[in-house]
mmCIF file of all heavy atoms in Angstrom:
data_model
loop_
_atom_site.group_PDB
_atom_site.id
_atom_site.type_symbol
_atom_site.label_atom_id
_atom_site.label_comp_id
_atom_site.label_asym_id
_atom_site.label_seq_id
_atom_site.Cartn_x
_atom_site.Cartn_y
_atom_site.Cartn_z
ATOM 1 N N VAL A 8 1.061 11.744 -2.191
ATOM 2 C CA VAL A 8 1.107 13.197 -2.318
ATOM 3 C C VAL A 8 2.134 13.615 -3.357
ATOM 4 O O VAL A 8 1.857 14.435 -4.244
ATOM 5 C CB VAL A 8 1.426 13.835 -0.948
ATOM 6 C CG1 VAL A 8 1.743 15.314 -1.115
ATOM 7 C CG2 VAL A 8 0.237 13.663 -0.004
ATOM 8 N N LEU A 185 -12.040 14.138 27.663
ATOM 9 C CA LEU A 185 -11.904 15.445 27.029
ATOM 10 C C LEU A 185 -12.426 16.518 27.978
ATOM 11 O O LEU A 185 -13.501 16.381 28.564
ATOM 12 C CB LEU A 185 -12.654 15.500 25.704
ATOM 13 C CG LEU A 185 -12.577 16.812 24.913
ATOM 14 C CD1 LEU A 185 -12.548 16.544 23.419
ATOM 15 C CD2 LEU A 185 -13.758 17.748 25.244
ATOM 16 N N GLY A 209 -7.381 11.704 42.954
ATOM 17 C CA GLY A 209 -7.697 12.302 44.244
ATOM 18 C C GLY A 209 -8.579 13.527 44.212
ATOM 19 O O GLY A 209 -8.845 14.128 45.262
ATOM 20 N N HIS A 334 45.614 -19.356 21.804
ATOM 21 C CA HIS A 334 44.385 -19.430 21.001
ATOM 22 C C HIS A 334 43.154 -19.304 21.885
ATOM 23 O O HIS A 334 42.178 -18.630 21.520
ATOM 24 C CB HIS A 334 44.348 -20.744 20.223
ATOM 25 C CG HIS A 334 45.254 -20.757 19.024
ATOM 26 N ND1 HIS A 334 45.143 -19.852 18.000
ATOM 27 C CD2 HIS A 334 46.297 -21.566 18.686
ATOM 28 C CE1 HIS A 334 46.061 -20.084 17.069
ATOM 29 N NE2 HIS A 334 46.788 -21.135 17.478
#
Side-chain angles (χ1 to χ4, degrees):
V8 169
L185 181 145
H334 284 301

